[in-house]
C-alpha cells in the first residue's frame, strides 16, 4: 500500500516534451512528477505534458468480452436450446 506522498505505491507513466528531441516518457510513483525533467537524450529540461490516462490498451475483441462479462453479472443471458 502506498503512503500519502505516493512513494512505494502505484507507478504512472508521465510524458515530457523536449524542445530539441521531442516527447519522452518517464515511469515514476504516482504523484511524484515535477513540471520539468531532463531529457534522456540531450539533458535539456523537458516540460511535462498533461495527457489523458492510458486506460484503453485492450484490443477491441477483449474489451468487448470484458463488457459482455460485466453485463452478464447483473443480466445473464439465458440459453433456451443448444444448436
Amino acid at each position: 500500500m502506498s503512503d500519502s506522498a505516493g512513494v512505494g505505491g502505484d507507478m504512472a507513466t508521465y510524458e515530457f516534451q523536449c524542445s530539441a528531441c521531442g516527447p519522452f516518457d518517464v515511469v515514476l510513483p504516482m504523484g511524484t512528477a515535477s513540471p520539468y525533467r531532463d531529457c534522456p537524450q540531450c539533458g535539456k529540461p523537458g516540460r511535462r505534458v498533461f495527457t489523458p490516462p492510458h486506460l484503453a490498451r485492450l484490443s477491441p475483441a477483449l474489451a468487448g468480452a470484458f463488457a459482455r462479462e460485466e453485463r452478464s453479472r447483473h443480466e445473464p443471458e439465458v440459453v433456451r436450446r443448444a444448436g
Side-chain angles (χ1 to χ4, degrees), residues 11 56 68 73:
M11 302 296 278
R68 283 190 303 280
R73 290 181 185 181

Side-chain angles (χ1 to χ4, degrees), residues 4-26:
S4 61
V7 178
D10 295 328
M11 302 296 278
T13 301
Y14 296 95
E15 185 176 333
F16 293 84
Q17 180 73 31
C18 174
S19 60
C21 303
F24 63 94
D25 293 340
V26 178

Side-chain angles (χ1 to χ4, degrees), residues 2 7 10 12 17 21 24 30-31 34-35 39-40 49 51-52 56 60 67 81:
S2 65
V7 178
D10 295 328
Q17 180 73 31
C21 303
F24 63 94
M30 267 190 207
S34 62
C39 174
V49 179
T51 59
R81 62 181 184 165

Side-chain angles (χ1 to χ4, degrees), residues 3 5 15 19 38 42 44 51 57 63 65 70-71 78:
D3 61 19
E15 185 176 333
S19 60
D38 290 342
C42 70
K44 292 181 180 179
T51 59
R57 292 197 169 195
E70 181 68 27
R71 283 193 309 269
V78 178

